[in-house]
Amino acid sequence: MSTGSGAASAPAPDGPDDPAGSDDPAGPDDPTSPAARRKTSMFASLKVRNYRLFFVGQVVSNIGTWMQRIAQDWLVLSLTGSSAAVGITTALQFLPMLLFGLYGGVLVDRWRKRTTLLFTQSAMALSALALAVLTLSGHVQVWHVYVAAFAMGLATVLDNPARQTFVSELVGRDQLQNAVSMNSANFQSARLVGPAVAGLMITGVGTGWAFLANGLSFVAPLSCLLLMRARELHVVRRTPRGKGQLREGLRYVAGRPELTWTIVLVGFIGTFGFNFPVFLSAFADDVFHAGAGAYSLFNTLMAVGSLAGALLAARRGTARLRVLIAAALGFGALEIVASAAPELWLFALLMVPIGVFSMTVNVTANTSIQMSTDPAMRGRVMALYMMVFLGGSPIGAPIVGWVTDTYGARAGFAAGGAVAASAALVVGLVLARVGNLRLSVGWHRGHPQVRFVPRERQEALAPVA
């Protein structure tokens, strides 16, 4: 497989896992091409037994994870009264990914994915149970939450790239995009249940029970991993131990603009636009003075939109960078609009489209990167992607927390949206230039159409003077 940049790969990175990529002369961005018309069954990947087990285990665990996220943020806010402290907690949870994420990808490429996941899921369970004991016994202090968040972050250094790349071993390349989208739908379905249950637990029996529920929820994914049939896995050849593998991964990404600039874009959005624990807790507490119930409501409504975005992504036949750029622009613009919402009900309703656009960004970036990457390099590339996407939070969360504390929740939310929209504009222009594209405005099937097309193709279609 080539690791060169290639002009054609920039606008629509179908990559090595797209068997139709080479025999579609119209190109995947042409609405009349087979690639553009290709659809898939929304739940196609669930026909695979091993993936069904993985999916079921993750549903249970993800519900617990969302419960802990809500409880953790609210506990820190209750102990300190500071949005900056919530930001510090978020930063500590993602700091290990920033520090060690690349090396974690090297290890994931070397080790068996299922064994790695059994280890990381067990470590996360122990961290949650320890925090539950401290909280239920009445001895919890804010530094305990900081330590638990950091410990959870250490486990995700291996867990995130292992889970992302394990999906291809479960379903093979033909179902990869659908399975990645279903994973996101899984996570967002749990997000509908987890915050609601967490809100009831926090107001009814306290945050400690939410931590306990999360710790126990890891029994499900551990059991499902053990029940999988090893002979049915599409095992990718593991990378042998050797020198320079980290640099090799970085060179691989640097040589492919469609990977490099996608990672840059999600880095800006993840660092400044996705700090919802800081933004939403501040709006619930300081702007609308509505308490934990409103915070849970905001997260639940955002999850409704995110689930819809993930299911729409599962139906799409391809992951295109033009969709990513448009979704990032829409996401940033909606955050700016929501920051000025005068009433709680309007702010809450805006969480739904924000969820749709945020999940479209997430799924499109994830699938386009995986589909464009050599399987032997996926661990390292996905580790870099997750390091930038999640590891930016240690930088962004304290900054937006400080802006929120100093200038108010509205200013912090608007600033995050402005950064996301600006990054989308810049990256879109860079990718168009790298891909030798030009803007084409015309009509298709009676509707106006604005898109990027190769320069040579547009010149060929231009009327002769």
Side-chain angles (χ1 to χ4, degrees):
M1 154 167 186
S2 171
T3 60
S5 56
S9 63
D14 294 317
D17 286 325
D18 182 8
S22 61
D23 58 4
D24 186 5
D29 271 344
D30 189 329
T32 64
S33 71
R37 295 193 302 266
R38 189 184 301 123
K39 298 291 183 181
T40 185
S41 170
M42 186 176 292
F43 306 106
S45 54
L46 292 177
K47 297 176 182 177
V48 180
R49 178 184 180 275
N50 281 345
Y51 183 74
R52 281 200 307 274
L53 286 169
F54 182 78
F55 187 90
V56 170
Q58 290 301 306
V59 164
V60 178
S61 180
N62 285 335
I63 290 173
T65 297
W66 275 110
M67 291 173 63
Q68 172 143 338
R69 284 191 178 187
I70 302 300
Q72 175 181 278
D73 297 338
W74 201 255
L75 176 60
V76 171
L77 195 63
S78 300
L79 291 172
T80 65
S82 169
S83 294
V86 177
I88 290 171
T89 307
T90 303
L92 287 171
Q93 187 158 335
F94 296 118
L95 181 61
M97 180 64 70
L98 181 63
L99 296 177
F100 312 117
L102 288 176
Y103 189 67
V106 173
L107 297 178
V108 166
D109 277 337
R110 292 178 184 171
W111 297 347
R112 288 186 175 89
K113 308 297 188 297
R114 186 164 61 154
T115 304
T116 302
L117 288 172
L118 287 168
F119 168 76
T120 58
Q121 298 282 294
S122 298
M124 290 180 179
L126 292 175
S127 176
L129 291 173
L131 189 57
V133 170
L134 287 168
T135 307
L136 291 173
S137 65
H139 294 96
V140 69
Q141 299 178 35
V142 69
W143 71 267
H144 293 145
V145 185
Y146 289 164
V147 171
F150 187 77
M152 193 75 73
L154 282 174
T156 62
V157 169
L158 293 173
D159 187 79
N160 273 335
R163 272 191 299 109
Q164 298 290 337
T165 56
F166 188 50
V167 172
S168 64
E169 296 191 9
L170 292 170
V171 300
R173 72 178 189 179
D174 292 340
Q175 301 279 13
L176 178 59
Q177 182 168 329
N178 181 263
V180 170
S181 299
M182 290 305 299
N183 274 0
S184 298
N186 181 326
F187 191 64
Q188 299 308 322
S189 298
R191 189 177 180 181
L192 289 171
V193 179
V197 177
L200 293 174
M201 280 193 168
I202 292 170
T203 56
V205 294
T207 55
W209 292 100
F211 299 141
L212 179 61
N214 181 44
L216 296 176
S217 72
F218 284 98
V219 172
L222 290 170
S223 300
C224 289
L225 285 168
L226 292 172
L227 288 171
M228 289 179 183
R229 296 170 181 164
R231 66 181 181 277
E232 296 178 7
L233 294 174
H234 302 258
V235 179
V236 175
R237 182 177 61 86
R238 287 182 287 156
T239 302
R241 185 181 181 89
K243 293 182 179 180
Q245 291 175 336
L246 183 56
R247 292 191 298 273
E248 181 186 10
L250 293 173
R251 284 196 300 269
Y252 180 86
V253 173
R256 299 179 64 88
E258 74 276 16
L259 297 179
T260 303
W261 289 104
T262 298
I263 291 173
V264 168
L265 176 58
V266 298
F268 275 101
I269 293 176
T271 300
F272 298 104
F274 273 26
N275 282 288
F276 297 117
V278 178
F279 297 139
L280 300 188
S281 62
F283 266 86
D285 196 45
D286 300 331
V287 177
F288 299 118
H289 310 288
Y295 181 47
S296 177
L297 174 65
F298 297 156
N299 279 279
T300 301
L301 289 174
M302 186 176 291
V304 172
S306 298
L307 177 59
L311 292 175
L312 288 172
R315 281 289 293 165
R316 282 198 297 270
T318 56
R320 302 171 187 163
L321 288 184
R322 68 178 183 181
V323 175
L324 173 63
I325 299 300
L329 276 170
F331 170 76
L334 282 168
E335 284 201 337
I336 295 171
V337 171
S339 70
E343 301 292 339
L344 186 150
W345 67 267
L346 180 57
F347 182 84
L349 286 179
L350 285 169
M351 293 301 102
V352 177
I354 286 176
V356 172
F357 280 90
S358 68
M359 188 48 54
T360 302
V361 170
N362 193 341
V363 171
T364 306
N366 189 312
T367 53
S368 65
I369 286 176
Q370 290 213 53
M371 298 289 283
S372 300
T373 303
D374 190 315
M377 300 293 294
R378 275 191 186 136
R380 279 163 282 183
V381 174
M382 290 307 297
L384 177 61
Y385 167 77
M386 299 305 295
M387 185 194 77
V388 173
F389 186 43
L390 300 179
S393 292
I395 300 171
I399 293 174
V400 300
W402 175 80
V403 171
T404 299
D405 280 342
T406 306
Y407 300 102
R410 296 188 186 279
F413 207 18
V419 170
S422 300
L425 280 172
V426 172
V427 170
L429 291 173
V430 169
L431 285 173
R433 185 176 181 85
V434 168
N436 195 32
L437 302 177
R438 296 180 64 183
L439 187 67
S440 172
V441 181
W443 290 82
H444 176 66
R445 296 179 181 175
H447 299 286
Q449 183 180 69
V450 180
R451 58 185 177 135
F452 286 104
V453 298
R455 290 179 184 271
E456 295 80 2
R457 185 177 167 199
Q458 189 177 50
E459 290 166 0
L461 293 175
V464 179

